[in-house]
Amino acid sequence: MPSIQAQSEQKKQNGLVSLVGAGPGDADLLTVKGHRLIQQADVVVYDRLVSKEILALANDSAEMIYVGKKLDFHFVPQDRINQILVDKAQEGKHVVRLKGGDSFIFGRGGEELETLAENGVQFEVVPGITAAAGATSYAGIPLTHRDHAQSVQFITAHVQKDGAEIEWDALVRSNNTLVFYMGLKQSPHISTQLIKYGLAADTPCAIIERGTTQKQKVFTGTIAELANMAEKAISPSLIVVGSVTTLHHKLDWFTPNSNDE
Ligand code: SAH
């Protein structure tokens, strides 16, 4: 067995990409492992939703590369990001690829790892707290609850032009909490489809804006009101549908201090 030092030397020669989930907003929700790897990184390649407190953990000498993306406005195309990761690792660097939330939940982490695998680059994955878990916890909305919901689904509302349409009929089963990512713009469509496929128009829902941050806001209403609620919210926001959202009023514990950045 080579010593830990020799192993880390070996990794250094070959390069390594650590795919790290940064969590949903509150920097304290970063994992201990993610924290340590960011401090050790030679290169940090990061997205728009990663907080500046987390970026500040990187070593002063680390190279910081921003590849942020916004809906409908891609600053750096995905294949260019993939290439940056391969190139930096092949220079023998330890690269931390930092993404908001969890990299495997609507984060395209899988695609990036496929390119690394195809190029023989060593990688590891550090999970993060996904927005659905973080934002609902801070909003006092349990995703499941024995009296309300026995299952939960995470859905992307941002469907590619040539991608598959959401299977609405499968979503509208009772006792199912639905969490829509990237749904603000699509909320009129989400509302119409859920009602059309059989959910009662007065089914409760919530929008959690900038969840877990000091600017968190929670809007509650019914799915018939969703489009109006969405007009007041800004990105990033999650849409949560189901009777668990009524617990927000009882279990709300987090008081953001919106003066704080
Ligand atoms: N990989 C991320 C999701 C990236 S998709 C994760 O696991 O959380 C981006 C979407 O995530 C946003 O459009 C929004 O719907 C949701 N999101 C991310 N951070 C959020 C936050 N702090 N509050 C509410 N929604 C958030």
Side-chain angles (χ1 to χ4, degrees):
M1 236 346 228
S3 70
I4 289 183
Q5 209 166 7
Q7 280 180 27
S8 106
E9 257 324 292
Q10 183 65 31
K11 275 186 186 169
K12 202 133 197 143
Q13 277 167 23
N14 296 336
L16 167 70
V17 175
S18 305
L19 180 63
V20 176
D26 180 350
D28 283 356
L29 293 177
L30 181 66
T31 63
V32 175
K33 186 166 185 177
H35 186 139
R36 176 168 55 77
L37 292 172
I38 294 166
Q39 288 177 320
Q40 292 170 348
D42 301 312
V43 183
V44 177
V45 180
Y46 64 100
D47 280 353
R48 189 173 63 95
L49 288 176
V50 178
S51 70
K52 48 185 191 308
E53 290 91 335
I54 289 179
L55 295 174
L57 299 172
N59 197 300
D60 283 347
S61 61
E63 183 184 358
M64 307 297 286
I65 304 177
Y66 176 62
V67 292
K69 279 178 288 187
K70 220 177 175 170
L71 200 61
D72 301 335
F73 191 83
H74 289 235
F75 294 106
V76 182
Q78 187 64 48
D79 45 357
R80 176 80 194 108
I81 298 175
N82 297 349
Q83 198 55 49
I84 292 172
L85 299 177
V86 171
D87 291 349
K88 294 292 172 185
Q90 285 179 343
E91 286 169 23
K93 305 246 168 80
H94 179 195
V95 182
V96 164
R97 173 68 173 115
L98 252 187
K99 289 171 178 283
D102 182 87
S103 308
F104 279 178
I105 298 190
F106 310 129
R108 305 189 73 171
E111 291 167 53
E112 294 180 11
L113 294 191
E114 283 182 84
T115 310
L116 297 178
E118 285 155 14
N119 285 274
V121 173
Q122 203 185 346
F123 58 81
E124 63 184 347
V125 185
V126 181
I129 294 182
T130 190
T136 55
S137 294
Y138 276 47
I141 297 174
L143 287 174
T144 68
H145 184 296
R146 285 176 9 148
D147 299 334
H148 295 269
Q150 280 65 47
S151 60
V152 54
Q153 285 193 58
F154 299 166
I155 306 127
T156 170
H158 178 54
V159 185
Q160 300 293 333
K161 285 186 188 66
D162 51 354
E165 169 65 17
I166 295 169
E167 291 182 16
W168 297 99
D169 48 346
L171 292 186
V172 296
R173 289 182 310 138
S174 56
N175 305 334
N176 189 18
T177 302
L178 306 177
V179 185
F180 290 92
Y181 286 69
M182 295 171 275
L184 275 189
K185 274 192 180 171
Q186 297 293 330
S187 47
H189 183 59
I190 293 172
S191 165
T192 314
Q193 293 296 89
L194 290 177
I195 295 169
K196 178 173 154 196
Y197 280 86
L199 269 197
D202 63 355
T203 303
C205 68
I207 295 179
I208 311 171
E209 173 191 310
R210 293 183 281 187
T212 79
T213 74
Q214 291 300 332
K215 297 194 164 178
Q216 174 174 295
K217 278 192 193 157
V218 182
F219 306 88
T220 55
T222 65
I223 55 169
E225 295 160 347
L226 182 63
N228 286 337
M229 290 159 62
E231 274 173 20
K232 294 185 220 126
I234 61 166
S235 181
S237 280
L238 275 185
I239 298 170
V240 186
V241 176
S243 66
V244 287
T245 57
T246 59
L247 289 161
H248 163 68
H249 302 288
K250 193 171 177 186
L251 304 182
D252 189 22
W253 61 270
F254 176 60
T255 315
N257 166 10
S258 57
N259 296 325
D260 254 31
E261 264 307 303

